[in-house]
Amino acid sequence: LAYVSAEMVGRSFFRHLSSGRSMLASINKGLMQRTIVGGEADVTSLNILTGDRMVVRLSAPDQKEQKSRRFRRQFTLPKDAVDGLREAIVKSEKPPKQLQNEADQLAERILNRRFPASPEVVKEARNKIRLRMKAKIKDEKNEEMLDENLNEQIREERERQIKNAVDKVLKRSHFNWKPMEATSDEGALAYALARLAPNYAEVARALEELAGVDCGQWAPSSVLDFGAGAGGAFWALNERYGESMREYTAIEANDHSSRVAMDIMRHRASTSLVHGGVLFRRHLVPSLQTTYDLVIVHRTLIELASQEARFQLAESLWRRTNRFLILIESGLEDSFSALMDARNFLLTMGMMMDKEKMEQMLKDHGKWNELNARLLHEERISDYERFEIIREQLPPSISPPTMLPPATVVAPCPHDLGCPRQAMSIACPFHVKWAPIRADGKSGKATEEGTEKGSMSFTILEKGVRSAETEPFPRILEMRKLHGHLNCDTCTAFKGLQRITVSKRAGELYSSLRQRRSGEVFPLHTEVLQSESNFDVFDVSAEKVKKERKKK
């Protein structure tokens, strides 16, 4: 930043530095022992990656805000959907028990379904297996058979054996990826029996994140469900938004799946659908002028064979949404990684300047000069820094031209930065419970409460630039309830992954946190008082020092 211009980009930052100081090394142990006073408590926090400690002051937020951040513990498929599925099963040519058996097998395949490996990974795996096979054949064959002077026919036979052996090994792993699609109406019905309830639960869980948007008044007028399958997303949307959702467009290329989804959506003893605005299409409308308030892509990225294809789809759908894009995949590590790659692609392209258009815009606003010319083409500056520096020079109503419309992460990440868990090759799954539907009268994998449990990864993106006025609440990644205290791993906006320890001595704050579960929003306001990190700078102006002394 200083290379570009200390005067242009660093005034407020360096002014903040001059009035602050880094709290490196020393942690006041007296603060760490402070119990709840005036509704606040000081607790310790540990950066999971770096090991740096902090002292964090916790306080309770507004009660109304706190209530809006709770999520349902269990999701039950609406009665109309259950009735529609049962009627479709009764009308099927296959007996219910056979359909259920196929559904159970399909559910197991989907549970362990992996994303297609990249060509580079497949090539590396093939070479490793090939070397092992060659070594094995060398041990089994005598030296005469391995002599370099073997005739060509023997060499070709040996290569054929190695190739067959390598192919067999690859077929037993996720390298043998194939797109999944129904080949008959009965096959689509078996999929609906296996996945309608969990698919509904996963989309309903993601929609809970939007409950507080615009003070809870927001509802999409139009929705695009790309890869609609059995229609699980429709039931979640219809339950939450009802007739406020005037148009629901389902994109499903498989005719068998579309027919089954429509059969389930019908009013009983009627040909009409339960919602008048439902429209089924096999493909997207080519024109980008046809847009939707909300776009949902549920367990569809895994059906695309390459990362490039997934990025192309993400870009196409991002251009078609007016406001929100929801991406949902399974809770496996490779699903999470693919989801984060799509998220990061949209965030990055939303900050990458269209330099020709940007140059013209700066000229139109009288901001074109030698400094901005250097800034626009300087490779040592990140796209994010370039975007923010130029945006500050333009009127608030003007947004710099970028390769894609800028994106902001609504949930579950409290930031728009790279994911530390992805860097650690660790998934960030969210668990959901649902009431299963079975055709054989058995309980299957249901618990004593009659529910099944699964995991999902998801991200919700909103068009626009994140406001700097409010800092998002941290997200609880894992909650451990131990004797007398809570150990809470959280993902924060600017402090990375933090492990916050809250003692029972914190009283009401402890009780409020104890009611939360993994995957929910951290319910307390946090203020860092001291830190061992070199990157933390705090305002220690006279006014703040006076305020702190008064509290003590």
Side-chain angles (χ1 to χ4, degrees), residues 224 226 249-253 280-286 292 320:
L224 175 67
F226 189 87
T249 302
I251 303 297
E252 179 52 62
F280 276 83
R281 295 184 59 89
R282 296 195 66 188
H283 304 288
L284 287 169
V285 176
Y292 308 84
R320 285 173 165 83

Side-chain angles (χ1 to χ4, degrees), residues 438-453:
R438 295 186 64 85
D440 59 1
K442 298 180 180 180
S443 60
K445 294 184 178 180
T447 63
E448 293 181 0
E449 295 82 14
T451 62
E452 289 186 10
K453 184 178 181 181

